[in-house]
Amino acid sequence: MLTVRKAEERGHANHGWLDTYHTFSFADYQDPREMGFGALRVINDDRVQAGQGFGTHGHRDMEIITYVLEGALEHKDSIGNGSIIRPGNVQRMSAGTGVRHSEFNPSRDKGVHLLQIWIEPKITGVKPSYEEKQFGTAEKKGQLRLIASPDGREGSVTIHQDAYVYASMLDGKDAVLHRLAPGRRAYVHVARGAVAVNGVELKDGDGAKIAGEDELKFSGARQAELLLFDLP
């Protein structure tokens, strides 16, 4: 079964410096029907104005993945990490016993567009850690590129959950197949463009909850960039 989560049905807040859409309940947007999907707890579609950002704040026991679509984002945290992430970079922070961090748009004139993803960990109370890796356009074009996994396979970042996150850029006649193991489910988020999943078209900002399916077929894409979450 495939259940579509339309872009316009998401929670939305515009704070001036931040224009954000929440796929699942977050901050002031609370919907008891949309509290996540399996271990996937948050997909926030954020646009941050130039020279603005998220001030220092704390997290515990959450796997946080940042995926930049446009612009740049400067990261600093309480465990000694600092970097500027750009499109193609994937940042993973395991909050564990507690970490504080800030995310800031260092540009003077350009906004940054990013996805902030939270995945609930399988184990809690781990030592906080940070990881960042690059996945170029060529690695994602016409295929599903593994970017996060529980064991770091294929050069992906490592998360404390039996979940696999893939990124893909599809267009035209590109067709990609992903098989789901028995008992697994999936979530698809279209970051931009449009693509059909098992014949159902999803557009920019749309998502789909998928359960009880053996495989997912991506086809009919129009300049699509998407994330696929293979979940327990």
Side-chain angles (χ1 to χ4, degrees):
M1 184 172 69
L2 188 152
T3 304
V4 176
R5 173 74 158 143
K6 301 296 289 183
E8 57 269 24
E9 296 171 351
R10 298 176 295 173
H12 178 235
N14 192 332
H15 303 286
W17 66 273
L18 168 67
D19 190 10
T20 179
Y21 287 87
H22 308 311
T23 294
F24 305 114
S25 294
F26 186 88
D28 292 335
Y29 169 65
Q30 294 295 317
D31 184 341
R33 301 166 299 177
E34 299 294 346
M35 297 303 296
F37 188 65
L40 179 59
R41 180 60 188 84
V42 166
I43 302 176
N44 288 348
D45 187 344
D46 294 340
R47 294 178 185 269
V48 180
Q49 294 296 313
Q52 301 292 323
F54 304 90
T56 302
H57 59 285
H59 297 286
R60 292 179 65 90
D61 291 323
M62 194 66 71
E63 303 294 301
I64 300 171
I65 297 172
T66 302
Y67 187 94
V68 174
L69 293 160
E70 296 176 5
L73 191 71
E74 183 176 6
H75 168 91
K76 292 181 181 179
D77 63 43
S78 58
I79 54 176
N81 299 292
S83 67
I84 296 179
I85 57 174
R86 296 180 171 85
N89 292 134
V90 173
Q91 176 199 86
R92 184 272 302 166
M93 187 172 64
S94 296
T97 54
V99 65
R100 294 180 63 77
H101 74 123
S102 64
E103 309 289 342
F104 184 76
N105 180 357
S107 174
R108 294 183 178 181
D109 55 7
K110 294 181 180 178
V112 58
H113 183 196
L114 65 129
L115 299 176
Q116 184 181 137
I117 297 148
W118 293 9
I119 296 175
E120 295 176 348
K122 194 172 184 178
I123 56 173
T124 59
V126 301
K127 182 180 178 181
S129 62
Y130 177 91
E131 191 177 13
E132 182 184 322
K133 293 198 174 179
Q134 172 77 22
F135 302 92
T137 298
E139 296 182 70
K140 294 178 282 190
K141 232 173 179 182
Q143 60 186 325
L144 290 165
R145 175 61 165 100
L146 185 66
I147 62 171
S149 69
D151 54 9
R153 69 180 64 173
E154 299 176 23
S156 58
V157 299
T158 304
I159 55 176
H160 295 90
Q161 179 54 268
D162 183 23
Y164 299 83
V165 185
Y166 299 83
S168 185
M169 302 175 78
L170 305 174
D171 194 29
K173 295 182 180 179
D174 291 337
V176 176
L177 191 69
H178 179 76
R179 298 190 184 278
L180 287 172
R184 303 283 293 184
R185 52 188 153 178
Y187 193 89
V188 175
H189 177 80
V190 179
R192 49 190 167 193
V195 64
V197 183
N198 290 359
V200 177
E201 185 174 74
L202 303 176
K203 61 177 179 57
D204 186 351
D206 288 350
K209 302 172 183 176
I210 301 150
E213 300 283 346
D214 297 327
E215 62 183 27
L216 306 178
K217 183 179 180 181
F218 299 87
S219 60
R222 300 192 303 277
Q223 297 182 331
E225 184 165 6
L226 62 93
L227 294 179
L228 164 63
F229 302 85
D230 187 322
L231 303 163

